[in-house]
Amino acid sequence: MKAFKNNVTKCRREFDKSVLQIKSEKSLQELRNHYLSRKRGQLTLLFEDLMALKPEQRPIAGQMVNELKKDIQEKLQSLKKTFKTEEEVVERTDFTLPGKVRYWGAAHPVHLFQAEIENIFISMGYSIEEGPEIETDYYNFGALNFPPHHPARDDWDTLYLKDELLLRTHTSPVQIRVMEKQKPPIKIVIPGKVYRKETPDPTHLPMFYQLEGLVVDKGITFAHLKGTLEYFLKTLFSEKIKMRFRPGFFPFTEPSAEVDIGCTVCEGKDEECRVCGGSGWIEILGSGMVDPQVFKNVNIDPEEYTGFAFGLGIDRTAMFAYQISDMRFFYENDLRFIRQFLLK
Ligand code: PHE
């Protein structure tokens, strides 16, 4: 009887050990056969041993074997269930279906480009300033040395609101706001939206972005302006970009210069180029030395300080950098267009 009891315990221990190794339906089946098969299964053998015991020992021995059998059957059954569910999951999953892609939204290409420009100026020690989009006539024009009723005002097709208020036509009024509250040295760039009464076409929009630059200190010369813009444009486009300074006019700078770059689309080789009109040059910036009268308007002594300023259209420049033929694409919210820039 003792030997029988040992055999039952041993059988249970071995089963518990083997059960931990089971990884597939096939090995589960093998384990089942090993213990429960009618011919030569471990339990069948135990039942045969039981018959060899004395009749009075059989009920207790029988109970032991039956308990073991029940435990083994239960364990095998629950294992079988886990394999079933795994199998069913595999059957129900169609791995050929396209995955679910969630679109989280992202920065707009014009803002990405703005950040690229800002980073170049930040690397040169500039800081960023901002100002209001609704302005007074004084900040947008008067303080910038536009005399009242002067024809120069007509170049900025202004959208007027009521009571002397207007939508700023350029970012230059923020020059005045900064110089009023901060004394030189000043070294800033000012990005922001500006508005003009324009009918949209491939190169004009009633709302667009500008980036203004202003440097004021002792001994600032036109050479600083030229060197700064040259470094900026070469970093933004390429070392090989061609550029030229043309005389220009702005009431708030003297002398003034317009800056052109060699056409990024045809490189001056296509007489019918839609971007440069065949001239090989595209106008990209307005610039100049701060007019002494502007300094007087903000109580900075023009005998002591000089400075330069420039303004460029961010979306306009993005158009040339990305070689886009129509600026309106940026604002039509067609995600097929917008998303192209996110991969960069
Ligand atoms: N504000 C001018 C424009 O909108 C650009 C400019 C800025 C020119 C600063 C000179 C200096 O056209």
Side-chain angles (χ1 to χ4, degrees):
M1 177 69 181
K2 205 171 169 206
F4 181 82
K5 212 172 160 184
N6 280 345
N7 282 348
V8 174
T9 315
K10 202 172 136 217
C11 183
R12 180 186 286 276
R13 217 183 294 128
E14 275 171 9
F15 174 81
D16 286 344
K17 229 162 109 193
S18 322
V19 119
L20 297 174
Q21 324 273 309
I22 296 302
K23 297 259 152 51
S24 67
E25 260 229 287
K26 192 167 159 250
S27 52
L28 180 67
Q29 193 55 41
E30 279 165 13
L31 187 71
R32 170 182 213 93
N33 290 344
H34 184 68
Y35 285 91
L36 300 180
S37 152
R38 266 180 226 284
K39 292 183 238 156
R40 312 220 49 77
Q42 294 296 305
L43 283 177
T44 318
L45 295 178
L46 280 177
F47 277 115
E48 279 172 15
D49 291 351
L50 182 126
M51 299 313 285
L53 292 175
K54 290 183 199 139
E56 65 269 25
Q57 292 175 322
R58 283 182 207 160
I60 296 181
Q63 203 184 346
M64 276 166 32
V65 189
N66 275 328
E67 258 169 36
L68 176 61
K69 188 177 175 185
K70 201 172 124 237
D71 289 349
I72 289 180
Q73 280 174 330
E74 273 172 10
K75 276 197 186 140
L76 291 174
Q77 194 59 33
S78 69
L79 255 180
K80 195 170 178 177
K81 266 191 209 147
T82 64
F83 283 123
K84 256 270 169 49
T85 44
E86 270 174 32
E87 232 169 55
E88 276 166 6
V89 169
V90 173
E91 269 168 29
R92 265 189 268 126
T93 309
D94 180 353
F95 292 110
T96 65
L97 283 174
K100 280 184 196 151
V101 180
R102 285 199 203 178
Y103 185 59
W104 294 101
H108 188 275
V110 171
H111 279 155
L112 290 175
F113 194 66
Q114 176 184 320
E116 214 177 310
I117 295 173
E118 285 172 5
N119 285 336
I120 299 174
F121 283 102
I122 288 169
S123 80
M124 290 194 267
Y126 284 68
S127 41
I128 314 247
E129 288 283 346
E130 282 181 336
E133 288 168 28
I134 295 176
E135 268 298 5
T136 59
D137 184 88
Y138 176 73
Y139 282 105
N140 197 79
F141 293 121
L144 288 162
N145 202 29
F146 286 78
H149 314 298
H150 191 276
R153 287 178 184 238
D154 300 343
D155 294 342
W156 281 260
D157 303 275
T158 313
L159 288 159
Y160 287 92
L161 306 169
K162 54 175 187 172
D163 303 332
E164 282 282 293
L165 293 178
L166 49 84
L167 291 174
R168 67 177 179 193
T169 57
H170 50 180
T171 40
S172 302
V174 191
Q175 288 190 30
I176 304 297
R177 291 185 175 274
V178 171
M179 287 192 286
E180 274 179 350
K181 61 180 195 329
Q182 187 187 325
K183 292 303 147 203
I186 295 169
K187 205 171 165 188
I188 53 167
V189 282
I190 307 148
K193 291 191 192 94
V194 301
Y195 303 84
R196 290 185 197 177
K197 206 164 147 234
E198 303 262 21
T199 307
D201 71 23
T203 53
H204 295 93
L205 291 171
M207 184 288 296
F208 57 100
Y209 282 79
Q210 278 192 339
L211 181 115
E212 188 92 5
L214 175 69
V215 173
V216 184
D217 204 348
K218 288 179 180 155
I220 297 292
T221 69
F222 199 88
H224 294 118
L225 164 66
K226 248 188 124 171
T228 302
L229 292 182
E230 191 177 325
Y231 173 80
F232 161 63
L233 290 173
K234 285 190 167 168
T235 312
L236 186 65
F237 286 96
S238 100
E239 198 55 41
K240 283 184 249 142
I241 196 95
K242 283 202 281 178
M243 52 189 291
R244 71 176 184 188
F245 284 72
R246 269 185 300 114
F249 173 77
F250 299 100
F252 40 95
T253 49
E254 184 60 35
S256 304
E258 314 244 9
V259 182
D260 299 339
I261 56 167
C263 181
T264 49
V265 174
C266 78
E267 295 176 334
K269 289 177 196 138
D270 179 3
E271 277 179 21
E272 279 161 33
C273 176
R274 298 225 328 264
V275 174
C276 68
S279 72
W281 295 98
I282 32 194
E283 186 188 319
I284 178 158
L285 272 154
S287 67
M289 301 305 292
V290 179
D291 193 291
Q293 186 57 49
V294 173
F295 280 143
K296 284 184 199 152
N297 295 345
V298 292
N299 285 325
I300 290 178
D301 182 359
E303 297 299 324
E304 197 180 349
Y305 292 103
T306 50
F308 67 78
F310 58 87
L312 101 155
I314 297 176
D315 18 25
R316 190 178 147 78
T317 310
M319 197 176 142
F320 301 126
Y322 298 135
Q323 307 197 350
I324 291 155
S325 56
D326 194 323
M327 214 155 83
R328 289 172 294 187
F329 288 147
F330 282 131
Y331 302 103
E332 279 172 354
N333 290 337
D334 183 339
L335 290 179
R336 290 168 304 174
F337 173 81
I338 301 279
R339 280 183 190 156
Q340 296 178 83
F341 302 91
L342 306 179
L343 304 171
K344 299 214 160 200

